[in-house]
Amino acid sequence: MCPLLGSKHVDAGIRVLVSREFLEAVENKVLCQRPSRRVHDAKVNPLCDSVLLITDHSIFPHVSGIIKNDFCLSVEIKPKCGFLPILEFIAPENAVKTSISRFEMYQALKMNQGKISHISKYDPLDLFSGSKDRVHNAIKSLLMTPQNNFRVFLNGSLIFGGLGGAADCTTCMVDQAFDYALKQVIRAEDGMHTKYFLELVTESVYKSGLLNRVLEVQKLDIIDIEGAIHLYYDIVSQPCMVCRQKGEKERYASLHSIPREQSLKIVRDYLISATAKDLSMMISFKSRENGDLESSCSTVYLKSTNQIFDYKVAFIDLDMKPLKKMEYYYQLDQQIVSCYVKMKRAAKEVDNRESIKETSQTN
């Protein structure tokens, strides 16, 4: 991911040797911070003899929080997929994928499964749009329903959002506490800190242009999972289960005739794209005071408060996706689209019944 996203923004980590006791202690520490439905995500393999030591990107280097006014504010954003796929290999019944973002459709499935209680208004297409107004709208929507996609840290401590996606939506009480916490960094009247915080994040996301690089990597997925799954079965030398289930071998014959080397590249690029669709973007801010020495960091000017901030961006959660997950990706994709289509159909039927009812009452 270094050449794709920029080595300045990718922390490859340092390999260090560890003991089994250390790994078991880490697992016990993490388990108690996970919601019950995500405990399995915290499993640690105690048989490993080494781990990667990664920098804590929620803080600025040399920021301790001990010195007065020495505060670091950090935002973690999971952008998710920022483009719509082409129709070429998508089944007719799944054509909605070319007009509605995967994130929006996935919200319907999560609601149906009871994983969330509020549908997020966040749309990744806004965040990746290149329009400052749309980027601001995206950040504001993430603030309203952070779920597992938006967290804020002050000197490395979580002050907004939940561990493991526990924060479903922002309440008035949470909003007030968050606004108060921002006083340490953003100079403003009471009740206005959150508003200017949104402007700060928007300005830095827009100015950095780094989401353009993320989008380029995401777009390595050139034929969608509905196309890539056929190449996966060719690579692992197994009969194509999708062709067997759909009974449409002729429609996908062109895919199965692609040379093996090309198939390998397309599937590899799909898996790299999957990492880019699931990464997190960490943006850390430190207010630059009068008399501060020149910094190697980028700077952003917050006009509303007349403050200059040093900021740095790092991408995390860059683990390569394993080849064996291809079938899972396909099955999940079909589940997401099916649930969304059924939900929209049911909503339309309710609207039609209400319309008929109103018409009959009027007559």
Side-chain angles (χ1 to χ4, degrees):
M1 304 304 288
C2 284
L4 295 172
L5 297 175
S7 57
K8 180 181 178 181
H9 308 290
V10 174
D11 180 4
I14 301 172
R15 181 173 176 264
V16 293
L17 299 178
V18 292
S19 66
R20 177 170 186 151
E21 290 74 22
F22 172 80
L23 293 175
E24 290 174 344
V26 168
E27 181 173 44
N28 290 333
K29 180 78 171 179
V30 175
L31 283 176
C32 65
Q33 299 181 30
R34 287 275 191 177
S36 57
R37 64 180 178 82
R38 299 200 69 200
V39 165
H40 69 282
D41 294 331
K43 288 293 182 183
V44 174
N45 182 359
L47 300 180
C48 291
D49 60 2
S50 64
V51 297
L52 282 178
L53 180 63
I54 306 292
T55 301
D56 182 355
H57 293 289
S58 67
I59 58 174
F60 252 88
H62 312 304
V63 173
S64 63
I66 297 175
I67 303 173
K68 185 178 180 181
N69 298 327
D70 191 13
F71 292 99
C72 173
L73 186 67
S74 300
V75 182
E76 178 185 355
I77 301 173
K78 275 189 174 293
K80 310 310 285 187
C81 183
F83 75 100
L84 300 173
I86 58 174
L87 189 60
E88 186 175 3
F89 297 108
I90 294 175
E93 63 270 21
N94 296 337
V96 67
K97 291 166 64 173
T98 63
S99 59
I100 303 295
S101 71
R102 175 187 169 88
F103 181 86
E104 181 178 339
M105 291 190 290
Y106 203 173
Q107 287 285 295
L109 178 61
K110 288 182 176 181
M111 177 70 92
N112 187 56
Q113 294 175 335
K115 293 182 177 179
I116 58 174
S117 59
H118 294 79
I119 294 289
S120 174
K121 291 184 179 180
Y122 169 64
D123 188 344
L125 302 182
D126 286 336
L127 192 67
F128 286 93
S129 67
S131 161
K132 188 181 289 189
D133 288 341
R134 291 182 65 184
V135 171
H136 184 269
N137 186 59
I139 301 297
K140 186 176 181 180
S141 297
L142 283 169
L143 187 74
M144 295 304 297
T145 48
Q147 295 180 8
N148 193 36
N149 307 302
F150 192 78
R151 297 194 294 177
V152 183
F153 302 83
L154 183 62
N155 286 351
S157 297
L158 184 70
I159 61 170
F160 184 85
L163 290 167
D168 209 355
C169 67
T170 303
T171 64
C172 182
M173 186 176 296
V174 169
D175 192 42
Q176 290 176 357
F178 178 57
D179 192 85
Y180 182 80
L182 293 175
K183 292 175 67 173
Q184 309 287 358
V185 181
I186 297 176
R187 294 195 293 262
E189 298 177 2
D190 289 346
M192 297 297 290
H193 300 93
T194 301
K195 179 179 185 294
Y196 298 146
F197 163 76
L198 288 173
E199 292 180 10
L200 177 62
V201 177
T202 298
E203 190 66 36
S204 60
V205 169
Y206 181 79
K207 183 179 179 181
S208 74
L210 288 172
L211 283 181
N212 294 333
R213 301 188 72 161
V214 175
L215 188 59
E216 287 180 9
V217 183
Q218 291 184 356
K219 286 185 174 181
L220 289 174
D221 170 14
I222 59 174
I223 58 175
D224 189 67
I225 186 62
E226 290 194 50
I229 190 65
H230 296 274
L231 305 182
Y232 162 76
Y233 283 114
D234 289 343
I235 289 171
V236 297
S237 301
Q238 292 181 11
C240 181
M241 298 302 296
V242 177
C243 285
R244 181 178 297 180
Q245 292 168 2
K246 291 183 175 294
E248 297 178 332
K249 289 186 178 181
E250 292 184 5
R251 182 182 177 192
Y252 301 107
S254 62
L255 286 172
H256 289 290
S257 63
I258 292 177
R260 180 176 176 81
E261 286 302 314
Q262 188 178 348
S263 295
L264 282 167
K265 182 181 185 307
I266 292 174
V267 172
R268 182 200 65 183
D269 285 350
Y270 175 85
L271 292 170
I272 294 173
S273 167
T275 293
K277 294 172 185 175
D278 203 34
L279 57 71
S280 283
M281 184 181 191
M282 295 287 299
I283 312 174
S284 299
F285 302 95
K286 179 177 177 292
S287 179
R288 175 173 287 199
E289 305 297 334
N290 293 333
D292 281 0
L293 299 176
E294 287 296 318
S295 169
S296 60
C297 296
S298 301
T299 61
V300 59
Y301 176 60
L302 183 58
K303 184 177 180 180
S304 300
T305 64
N306 193 31
Q307 286 178 275
I308 297 176
F309 291 87
D310 287 328
Y311 77 95
K312 64 183 182 72
V313 182
F315 296 110
I316 60 174
D317 296 343
L318 299 175
D319 299 40
M320 189 66 185
K321 307 299 182 183
L323 179 63
K324 63 183 180 181
K325 289 200 73 172
M326 289 295 290
E327 287 183 306
Y328 165 79
Y329 287 141
Y330 176 76
Q331 293 162 4
L332 177 60
D333 177 78
Q334 299 300 289
Q335 192 179 7
I336 289 172
V337 180
S338 175
C339 181
Y340 181 80
V341 170
K342 288 178 181 177
M343 182 195 75
K344 285 297 182 182
R345 187 183 299 129
K348 186 176 181 179
E349 290 174 356
V350 170
D351 290 341
N352 289 339
R353 285 197 295 270
E354 290 295 326
S355 179
I356 292 172
K357 183 178 179 181
E358 290 177 5
T359 300
S360 62
Q361 288 176 347
T362 302
N363 294 336

